[in-house]
Amino acid sequence: MMLKRRKIGFLGAGNMAQAMIRALVESGTVDRRNIWVTNRSGGKLKKARDEFGVNTLDTNEELVDACDTIFIAVKPQDLAEALEPIASSFHEGHLVLSLAAGFPIEALERLLPGAPMLARVMPNAPAAIRRAVVGYCLSAGASSAEGSVRDLLAPLGYVVACEEGEPFQALTVSCGSGTGFVLEFMQYWQEWLEGHGFETEIARKMAVETFLGAALMAEHAPEVPFHDMQDKVVSKKGVTAAGLQSMREFEIERALRYSFERAAIRDSELAGRGR
Ligand SMILES: NC(=O)c1ccc[n+]([C@@H]2O[C@H](COP(=O)([O-])OP(=O)(O)OC[C@H]3O[C@@H](n4cnc5c(N)ncnc54)[C@H](OP(=O)(O)O)[C@@H]3O)[C@@H](O)[C@H]2O)c1
């Protein structure tokens, strides 16, 4: 089905739903008149109406009846309670995209046996500024809807097809949690600069620009491997080389890998609870 003709529902109007609605509307991907929203409490519905000009409905059942494409945008712990009472309203024409972390496709299939077209979606926080990494995987019945899924997610940022299981977890940890990990490093940069005499605001900006500069340099030359790019900015026995040698002696990579593994273990624990 053409994207412009889809009637798109958001079950839950919290942070991620709002980021997605903004991206879909501002990019011109979807007409705001084709978006419907529900939420457990009233305040966010008013915000959705006032700020985005989308339609709101009183019940999730009405949402499922009104829309052919439904984003499930509630917290994972609220998912079963939200879907169980309306599960029988879904039919094979519905495309359902779940944003809930820790709910694999097979768990969604059990919750919504009448809806074979399911997508599990994992955006990260920069979705709010349309610079997310967004992973998705599809149920077996949803392969014909892959184009629509990619088109719906494209306004959020970089869209990556991802197998369920270990690859999806790796994306969740490195890109989902990754935003938090990178901010931790940026905090170290800022604090070190402050410790060496820079004002907080200036130190913050210097940290941001250093990370942004490196990232943009890499983005501008996608064919150049990171280590080749690094070689160009490191002169032998120079200042950067001395710092890098120390980073390697302290095995920062090993510490990071360990942190990623710890996050993955936590993701598995939460997924176990989700099922
Ligand atoms: N935020 C992120 O960066 C991010 C990243 C990746 C994935 N996600 C996923 O996105 C989903 C939403 O996260 P969020 O950060 O947007 O959470 P959020 O801001 O708490 O939004 C969830 C919304 O769902 C509403 N809700 C709960 N139960 C409902 C029900 N039965 N019917 C209708 N609405 C209901 C809540 O209403 P109330 O107003 O009553 O609380 C709340 O507004 C989660 O599954 C999360 O794992 C988020």
Side-chain angles (χ1 to χ4, degrees):
M1 186 193 292
M2 295 263 296
L3 205 56
K4 291 263 181 206
R5 292 224 306 272
R6 282 193 181 272
K7 295 187 185 313
I8 297 168
F10 283 85
L11 197 161
N15 294 319
M16 191 43 78
Q18 287 173 34
M20 293 206 70
I21 292 168
R22 186 187 300 282
L24 286 169
V25 170
E26 285 181 359
S27 63
T29 309
V30 174
D31 188 323
R32 64 187 75 229
R33 288 169 300 186
N34 285 341
I35 297 180
W36 281 261
V37 178
T38 56
N39 196 64
R40 186 170 52 192
S41 58
K44 289 176 196 158
L45 282 184
K46 183 174 169 358
K47 184 176 177 199
R49 265 195 313 270
D50 294 350
E51 198 167 326
F52 307 117
V54 296
N55 310 289
T56 58
L57 289 166
D58 291 333
T59 69
N60 293 335
E61 196 144 23
E62 287 174 281
L63 187 85
V64 176
D65 287 345
C67 300
D68 47 65
T69 303
I70 316 266
F71 282 94
I72 311 293
V74 301
K75 291 270 191 214
Q77 63 269 26
D78 293 327
L79 190 98
E81 200 181 316
L83 291 184
E84 271 162 11
I86 54 165
S88 62
S89 303
F90 286 89
H91 55 72
E92 58 185 21
H94 278 120
L95 171 60
V96 182
L97 302 98
S98 164
L99 300 169
F103 264 83
I105 284 285
E106 52 153 355
L108 295 167
E109 282 175 327
R110 273 200 302 277
L111 274 169
L112 298 178
M117 288 199 286
L118 296 167
R120 180 185 181 192
V121 177
M122 174 55 66
N124 62 3
I129 52 159
R130 300 182 54 193
R131 286 303 306 241
V133 176
V134 195
Y136 71 90
C137 65
L138 302 173
S139 63
S143 49
S144 64
E146 181 156 16
S148 295
V149 170
R150 292 193 72 98
D151 290 347
L152 283 163
L153 302 179
L156 291 182
Y158 180 57
V159 181
V160 191
C162 200
E163 293 288 317
E164 185 63 282
E166 195 179 325
F168 205 92
Q169 184 171 68
L171 175 131
T172 302
V173 167
S174 61
C175 303
S177 307
T179 307
F181 298 160
V182 172
L183 286 166
E184 176 86 2
F185 277 91
M186 291 170 74
Q187 180 71 36
Y188 302 156
W189 249 252
Q190 178 183 334
E191 283 169 3
W192 192 84
L193 285 163
E194 282 178 48
H196 288 75
F198 288 92
E199 284 172 21
T200 302
E201 204 179 309
I202 293 172
R204 184 186 191 283
K205 180 77 174 154
M206 287 163 80
V208 168
E209 290 299 325
T210 303
F211 278 77
L212 204 54
L216 288 174
M217 207 167 77
E219 189 187 45
H220 281 232
E223 71 292 351
V224 182
F226 290 150
H227 58 78
D228 288 357
M229 199 166 272
Q230 197 183 37
D231 283 348
K232 284 194 189 136
V233 297
V234 182
S235 39
K236 268 192 187 136
K237 299 195 176 161
V239 176
T240 315
L244 280 174
Q245 190 188 336
S246 184
M247 278 188 189
R248 287 163 190 164
E249 279 166 10
F250 276 103
E251 297 191 82
I252 294 206
E253 186 194 356
R254 200 158 78 91
L256 254 183
R257 280 177 181 273
Y258 186 73
S259 310
F260 279 36
E261 296 305 332
R262 283 284 291 273
I265 290 168
R266 183 66 184 141
D267 181 65
S268 297
E269 284 169 8
L270 293 176
R273 232 187 274 168
R275 279 171 222 152

